[in-house]
Amino acid sequence: MQDHDQYRLFLHLTETLSFTRTAADRHVSPATLSRTVQRLEAATGHRLLDRGPHGVYLTTHGRAFRQYAAEALDLWARYRGDGAADDDLSGHLRVFASVTACHTLLPDLLTPLRDAHPRVSISSRTGDAAAALALLDQGEADLAVAALPARIPATVLARQITQTPLVLVQASPVPADEEFTAAAEPFVLPRQGLVRAARGPVVPRPGYPSAHRCRDRRS
């Protein structure tokens, strides 16, 4: 539940009293953390935190809300535990994905798991999809959403869930009767990942004169 995620962020912040540390520990941006606090303050109608020259301080209302948030999460955990008495599956699942995948793919992928096994907690970490396989190999993630390489390591169990076009976009349109030549135009690529290794014909994409398909990408 979104409210509970906000409560967890707020409680972590009340422990560290540092936006930078909480943002890093909870794998969110400082801006996201600041907006979370602002939404909680708007919902309660009170200022919960003050920023001083030596750090962050809880206000009187902030201390009261800290207790409320902790009790609300505890009650929710008890409720879920009682409802899942017959479910033996529990634990923690660490998921790595790009920000785009978190918004477009993870909700549909993880909702059935949440419904079937409410005692399993899930945490997500965002970053460059090119690092997904390395994080799996290093044991820093249990599940990752990323483009599939041509050769899948034997240590990884992979499942294709969707296929999206890999598109190269340029600033100025190319005339419909001219073929786009990538070598003749400057463009930016990431330092690593499948985008750099993309090969195949580059042809104009119908209806989008300034966007050109490089190759389909499987995730």
Side-chain angles (χ1 to χ4, degrees), residues 17 47 49-57:
L17 296 178
R47 189 168 186 82
L49 295 168
D50 278 329
R51 296 195 188 194
H54 301 292
V56 178
Y57 302 90

Side-chain angles (χ1 to χ4, degrees), residues 30 43 61 64 84 99 106 132 173 202:
H61 289 288
V99 173
L106 286 189
V202 180

Side-chain angles (χ1 to χ4, degrees), residues 1-213:
M1 297 179 68
Q2 184 176 6
D3 286 347
H4 293 165
D5 292 338
Q6 293 179 4
Y7 293 171
R8 293 186 184 97
L9 279 176
F10 179 77
L11 289 176
H12 191 285
L13 182 57
T14 64
E15 294 175 1
T16 64
L17 296 178
S18 168
F19 276 78
T20 301
R21 182 177 169 186
T22 290
D25 288 349
R26 302 297 295 181
H27 307 296
V28 299
S29 68
T32 296
L33 181 57
S34 294
R35 287 193 296 270
T36 297
V37 173
Q38 291 170 1
R39 283 193 294 266
L40 291 174
E41 290 179 333
T44 60
H46 299 287
R47 189 168 186 82
L48 304 178
L49 295 168
D50 278 329
R51 296 195 188 194
H54 301 292
V56 178
Y57 302 90
L58 279 170
T59 65
T60 301
H61 289 288
R63 289 190 292 270
F65 186 77
R66 176 178 60 184
Q67 181 178 351
Y68 165 80
E71 291 177 354
L73 291 176
D74 182 61
L75 286 172
W76 177 247
R78 291 187 203 174
Y79 168 76
R80 295 182 68 187
D82 291 341
D86 298 330
D87 182 16
D88 293 332
L89 185 62
S90 62
H92 183 70
L93 179 67
R94 301 166 299 169
V95 182
F96 177 83
S98 66
V99 173
T100 300
C102 283
H103 286 288
T104 60
L105 299 176
L106 286 189
D108 291 337
L109 290 175
L110 299 181
T111 296
L113 174 63
R114 285 186 178 274
D115 293 341
H117 305 289
R119 296 174 60 190
V120 175
S121 62
I122 303 173
S123 64
S124 61
R125 174 181 174 184
T126 60
D128 184 359
L133 294 182
L135 291 175
L136 289 173
D137 186 60
Q138 295 164 8
E140 296 185 24
D142 304 309
L143 174 70
V145 179
L148 294 176
R151 293 184 178 181
I152 301 173
T155 56
V156 174
L157 178 62
R159 174 186 174 188
Q160 182 176 337
I161 57 176
T162 188
Q163 185 165 335
T164 57
L166 181 61
V167 175
L168 181 65
V169 179
Q170 70 174 89
S172 58
V174 174
D177 58 347
E178 293 185 15
E179 182 176 349
F180 176 75
T181 304
E185 301 289 342
F187 55 90
V188 178
L189 290 177
R191 293 180 179 273
Q192 58 182 346
L194 297 182
V195 175
R196 289 196 67 90
R199 293 292 185 269
V202 180
V203 297
R205 188 178 180 185
Y208 296 89
S210 61
H212 303 272
R213 184 187 302 272

